[in-house]
Amino acid sequence: MTVTTVGVLRETSPGERRVAIVPDLVPALARLGATVLVEPGAGVRSGHHDADYRAEGAEVTGRTELLRRTDVLLGIRPPNIDPDRELRPGQVLVALLRPQRIPYLVRKWADRGVTAIGLDLAPDLAAAYPLDAEASQARVAGYRAVLIAAARLDRCLPPWGAADGLFDPVRVLVVGAGHAGLQAIDTARRLGAPVDAFEPRNRERAAVAALGAALLELPGCDAVEDDREFREALGRECPAWVAGLDKVVGRYDIVVSALAPPGRMPPLLLRTATVARLRPGSVLVDLAVGPDAGNIEGARPDTTTLVGDGVTVIGAGELAAEVPGTASRAYAHNVVALLERLSHCGPVAADPVLGPMLVADRGAVRHGPTGRLLTEAAAVAGLP
């Protein structure tokens, strides 16, 4: 696919401070033969001004002109754009799409002939890692989760006075050692806290050990090899995970939960009655929480609640957006890697990395789970 004009959209979602391309990566796109258009103010909330983009060779232009001229539209979240009026057949849309949350918009993109690529859908392949924005943004979120918990805790994380017994150390539990969980482990350890982690997948368990955290072993919870076995274990062993965590979670002052199997709702692991038994002043951050569910009962995105005798439960929203400088730079590198691959690959659907990232292409919904949601909705409505 030839990429000739790239457009960087200004984000309009409340609280979103990231930008899809940072100024000093504009030359990298120019080396691919692309002209870069930037919507005015696109980078301001991440510390990048229009003059910074112009200095690196980008053209700053209004949204209407940008949409008219652009071959590839770049954003962080699905843009607030009318597909019928503002997009044209053949345009490519790149963002963190999370298509199962917006199936009817995906259908409109497909009907319009737009190619939509989700940077949150990179497959688990070594060649896909440079494109994996879900991973890069999760690492930022894991870092931020620990800082938020530390700020809300009624004690200091470093073991002040531990040598003379004045203070007990703050103990941290991380549930789930994906990209966010591993970064949370590393951040908490760097702040001086002893960290335990519960993780059923063998590869992630090895990463936990490499970071120097202790693996929390729960009775009846066997390790699994991959995501497929992980999903199967959710139905078979999840009650044992819940029971095991119920017995031990009271040891910890901070809990960061980030256990979410790909393509499925996160399992409910910590019930309100369990949380209420934690020491008053303890803090839990649910990184797995979404619109419908999370690892902690009652957690909701962007919501903080008190449980029991002063236990704080924080439902994480887009925590990466709270660290827009680092998050934008990481995301921009993912975008550059994607465009490099687009510039050199053949048919996108046949590419082993890009194919699984296709959400809509050539008039069809290509993302299987989203397609099934649309089919099921049509069947319920009695449509053909």
Side-chain angles (χ1 to χ4, degrees), residues 6 27 43 51 56 62 147 190 212 232 255 287 360:
V6 172
E56 296 290 351
L147 298 189
R190 289 176 183 274
E232 293 174 356
V255 179
L287 282 170

Side-chain angles (χ1 to χ4, degrees), residues 136-311:
S136 72
Q137 302 306 290
R139 290 195 295 276
V140 178
Y143 161 84
R144 183 65 177 159
V146 172
L147 298 189
I148 289 173
R152 291 298 297 261
L153 194 68
D154 62 354
R155 298 155 60 197
C156 291
L157 240 67
W160 286 11
D164 51 22
L166 289 179
F167 298 96
D168 293 329
V170 170
R171 300 192 63 84
V172 176
L173 173 64
V174 176
V175 180
H179 296 289
L182 289 173
Q183 187 61 58
I185 291 168
D186 186 53
T187 302
R189 281 185 51 76
R190 289 176 183 274
L191 289 173
V195 182
D196 292 348
F198 171 69
E199 171 56 61
R201 294 163 292 188
N202 275 329
R203 183 175 65 179
E204 284 76 6
R205 286 166 64 87
V208 168
L211 287 174
L215 282 163
L216 178 65
E217 305 290 357
L218 300 179
C221 302
D222 297 327
V224 299
E225 286 300 323
D226 52 30
D227 285 333
R228 179 186 61 79
E229 289 189 11
F230 180 31
R231 288 189 289 267
E232 293 174 356
L234 279 176
R236 183 177 66 250
E237 297 186 12
C238 194
W241 301 352
V242 174
L245 288 170
D246 179 75
K247 293 178 181 178
V248 303
V249 74
R251 305 173 190 168
Y252 301 97
D253 305 287
I254 290 176
V255 179
V256 176
S257 66
L259 195 64
R264 284 191 57 171
M265 288 176 55
L268 177 60
L269 299 174
L270 294 170
R271 302 193 180 277
T272 299
T274 301
V275 173
R277 293 199 301 271
L278 270 68
R279 184 188 65 79
S282 299
V283 181
L284 298 88
V285 181
D286 192 344
L287 282 170
V289 71
D292 301 315
N295 292 154
I296 302 172
E297 186 175 16
R300 295 291 179 268
D302 293 307
T303 302
T304 298
T305 56
L306 290 178
V307 176
D309 188 15
V311 177

Side-chain angles (χ1 to χ4, degrees), residues 97-99 117-123 132 134 353 356-359 367:
L97 296 180
R98 294 175 184 138
I117 299 175
L119 277 172
D120 50 321
L121 300 173
D132 192 351
E134 184 76 2
V353 170
M357 300 173 69
L358 275 178
V359 172
H367 185 245

Side-chain angles (χ1 to χ4, degrees), residues 50-73:
D50 293 347
D52 301 327
Y53 286 98
R54 291 192 184 99
E56 296 290 351
E59 178 182 343
V60 178
T61 186
R63 175 166 286 210
T64 300
E65 178 73 4
L66 183 147
L67 292 173
R68 184 184 67 81
R69 293 172 53 189
T70 295
D71 300 312
V72 180
L73 289 168

Side-chain angles (χ1 to χ4, degrees), residues 346-352 354-356 358 361 366:
V348 176
D351 187 274
L354 299 178
L358 275 178
D361 187 46
R366 300 293 183 184

